[in-house]
Amino acid sequence: MREKKLRLIITFHTTTAAMAFEKYCMANGLPGRLIPVPTSITAGCGMAWMAAPEDRPALEEAIQKDALAVDALYEIVH
Amino acid sequence: MIYLDNAATTYHKPQSVIDAVVEAMQGMGNSSRGSHSGALKAARTVYDARCKAAALFGCSDPSRVVFTSNSTEALNIALSGLFAPGDHVISTDLEHNSVLRPLYRLQAEEGVLLDFVRADRQGCVDYDDFEVLIRPETKAVVCNHASNLTGNMLDLDQIGSICRKHGLLLVVDASQTAGCIPIDVEKTGISVLCFTGHKGLYGPQGTGGMCIAEGVEIRPFKVGGSGVQSFSKTQPAQYPTRLEAGTLNGHGLAGLSAAFDFIAETGVEAIHAKEIALMRRFYDGVKDIPGVKVYGDFSTDDRAAIVALNIRDYESGEVSDELSENYGIATRPGAHCAPRMHEALGTAEQGAVRFSFSYFNTEAEVDIAIDAIREIARL
């Protein structure tokens, strides 16, 4: 199993928003990858973006600058 | 077989479309159902197809492209989700049953009020009639972009500006034009564009969709699995998930995505030019043959590449069967699911033989079809 540590988790309302976010990050060299949304955030299913907490400023800047459709940002041990 | 029934479905598909479906079927998970590599491959494929559809139709937000199994499903979703009892809807005589039957059902079961802009014997409408029919309860105009029987096109810019002026929704059935006639939903003011993947887009059957304008709220036609917000008792409110309950046709959409690439690389204008040139060659070859009557307006090339005709008083089904059995030419006889159009043309009883052309047809095929008509008309 992967080592648990503090991570930045970004959630989305839809898979389409997650796909758009992934495409944006890959095109702009932003860090992270898609994972199943952690159950500590929601008991539902879906995808979330996982990155390191230190990547938060760069990702937040992109979300604001290009109005990327995200639900919420969390920092949790995952 | 010489296939001239492309208004029903295009028979010859680009190899890239076939390859994409095969590749997807050799390894693809379920879009929006997990984040393992197979599921992500599906989700990325579907999202790419969304982006390409948005680009082709001038829709700036790919999340407002909803995938369906065809135009009929898209139209049912749109029409059942937009109107309430007492709403008034204007449609036209040019429509296919995919528009008519949902509207008639709404009329019978929901108390939606209907009026139709009439077509003349050439299958043309008077655009002033749209405004004449508007009343305080009018909510929308629902119309096709081109008739599947005559190929006559409606001027969506003109109808769009009427809808804008009166604050009406515009729902468009682009079954015969998506991929072969330029469409810009935002510029034209189309509220909901419904398209199918397997005709002019050259994609697989079982694919289609809709582009929904900003501010247009459609009640879900079906609810169920979405892969997100699973503990919510209601369907997610956000597009496209709102209207896409259940597993999508991922394999088909992989093909449709490749089809969008084919359209983009070839060019909608180039496709239209080739199809119309084939249609003109056929039209010019048959229109003066004694006993042949061609339906529709051929005064402009702003039309779909369709020629509907009859020979004398021969039943259209017999002519079509003759073409198939003795000449190996595939056409479509009968009513073409367009009852009002046939009534307007005066062909409700005889039907008509429809020839419809694709980018992959050839002049040689057209010439064989002309010769066949000439021979049958001589019999």
Side-chain angles (χ1 to χ4, degrees):
Chain A
M1 288 294 286
R2 184 181 64 225
E3 181 199 353
K4 285 190 185 295
K5 57 182 183 180
L6 190 66
R7 299 177 193 274
L8 174 71
I9 304 292
I10 301 173
T11 57
F12 309 94
H13 285 296
T14 65
T15 302
T16 299
M19 289 299 106
F21 193 84
E22 185 200 47
K23 192 168 187 175
Y24 180 93
C25 289
M26 289 172 85
N28 291 280
L30 290 167
R33 68 181 180 85
L34 288 168
I35 61 163
V37 66
T39 51
S40 59
I41 293 175
T42 172
C45 38
M47 276 184 272
W49 187 259
M50 182 177 75
E54 53 267 31
D55 298 324
R56 183 169 185 146
L59 289 165
E60 275 189 324
E61 190 191 341
I63 290 165
Q64 284 181 2
K65 181 165 70 77
D66 285 314
L68 303 178
V70 303
D71 180 17
L73 280 71
Y74 302 86
E75 286 190 28
I76 60 167
V77 175
H78 182 67
Chain B
M1 176 175 60
I2 295 174
Y3 186 84
L4 300 178
D5 195 16
N6 295 285
T9 194
T10 46
Y11 189 83
H12 299 284
K13 309 289 187 185
Q15 189 60 43
S16 58
V17 172
I18 297 163
D19 292 344
V21 175
V22 171
E23 199 215 325
M25 294 197 76
Q26 286 169 336
M28 179 188 261
N30 191 339
S31 173
S32 192
R33 304 296 190 273
S35 57
H36 53 76
S37 60
L40 283 178
K41 180 179 176 184
R44 288 172 185 140
T45 299
V46 169
Y47 183 69
D48 280 347
R50 257 187 241 292
C51 293
K52 292 170 191 175
L56 177 63
F57 298 126
C59 172
S60 56
D61 182 359
S63 73
R64 301 188 79 89
V65 174
V66 169
F67 286 122
T68 64
S69 57
N70 46 46
S71 286
T72 297
E73 189 179 48
L75 287 159
N76 271 271
I77 291 170
L79 300 179
S80 69
L82 283 172
F83 305 126
D87 284 344
H88 175 241
V89 175
I90 298 170
S91 192
T92 82
D93 277 350
L94 275 67
E95 306 313 316
H96 186 275
N97 271 337
S98 57
V99 165
L100 296 174
R101 283 180 172 161
L103 288 178
Y104 291 146
R105 186 166 71 168
L106 287 168
Q107 183 182 41
E109 298 177 6
E110 305 291 335
V112 167
L113 308 167
L114 293 183
D115 270 310
F116 291 90
V117 171
R118 308 310 301 262
D120 62 21
R121 296 288 271 197
Q122 256 199 319
C124 298
V125 300
D126 180 342
Y127 290 91
D128 292 339
D129 289 354
F130 285 94
E131 292 208 83
V132 169
L133 292 172
I134 292 171
R135 54 203 219 199
E137 310 82 45
T138 306
K139 180 92 183 280
V141 171
V142 182
C143 64
N144 64 28
H145 193 188
S147 161
N148 70 306
L149 173 52
T150 63
N152 287 6
M153 230 166 85
L154 288 173
D155 183 346
L156 291 182
D157 287 331
Q158 212 168 325
I159 297 170
S161 66
I162 293 168
C163 288
R164 266 201 200 102
K165 180 177 158 195
H166 294 275
L168 307 181
L169 296 170
L170 174 56
V171 180
V172 174
D173 168 12
S175 298
Q176 295 301 334
T177 56
C180 45
I181 309 276
I183 297 171
D184 189 319
V185 291
E186 291 176 6
K187 201 170 134 211
T188 306
I190 296 171
S191 312
V192 186
L193 178 82
C194 300
F195 63 92
T196 196
H198 66 101
K199 295 185 180 181
L201 291 171
Y202 297 100
Q205 295 175 6
T207 63
M210 53 211 294
C211 295
I212 303 164
E214 197 71 37
V216 176
E217 304 298 334
I218 300 175
R219 292 186 301 277
F221 177 72
K222 56 182 177 178
V223 296
S226 54
V228 294
Q229 305 177 35
S230 295
F231 280 79
S232 167
K233 288 185 177 172
T234 57
Q235 189 70 10
Q238 294 83 8
Y239 290 121
T241 310
R242 175 179 184 158
L243 301 178
E244 285 183 348
T247 295
L248 286 168
N249 177 8
H251 302 130
L253 292 174
L256 184 62
S257 185
F260 282 129
D261 289 337
F262 167 78
I263 299 290
E265 286 157 14
T266 310
V268 174
E269 284 84 359
I271 290 170
H272 180 63
K274 181 165 180 194
E275 291 181 357
I276 286 296
L278 293 169
M279 178 210 75
R280 280 268 166 225
R281 187 178 183 92
F282 181 75
Y283 173 75
D284 289 342
V286 300
K287 69 182 167 63
D288 297 323
I289 294 173
V292 170
K293 179 170 174 54
V294 177
Y295 304 95
D297 176 13
F298 288 84
S299 64
T300 169
D301 282 346
D302 287 335
R303 65 188 333 283
I306 292 170
V307 180
L309 58 80
N310 274 314
I311 302 175
R312 308 187 198 285
D313 59 352
Y314 299 165
E315 203 221 307
S316 62
E318 288 181 20
V319 174
S320 185
D321 188 54
E322 176 80 7
L323 287 164
S324 175
E325 291 297 304
N326 292 338
Y327 299 91
I329 298 170
T331 60
R332 173 89 187 276
H336 315 90
C337 303
R340 298 185 72 96
M341 191 72 265
H342 274 289
E343 284 164 3
L345 298 174
T347 51
E349 279 188 26
Q350 191 176 12
V353 186
R354 183 184 67 186
F355 296 75
S356 47
F357 303 90
S358 102
Y359 185 75
F360 294 103
N361 285 128
T362 64
E363 290 184 351
E365 289 178 324
V366 168
D367 292 346
I368 291 169
I370 294 167
D371 288 343
I373 294 295
R374 192 176 289 117
E375 276 190 25
I376 293 171
R378 214 184 284 140
L379 294 175

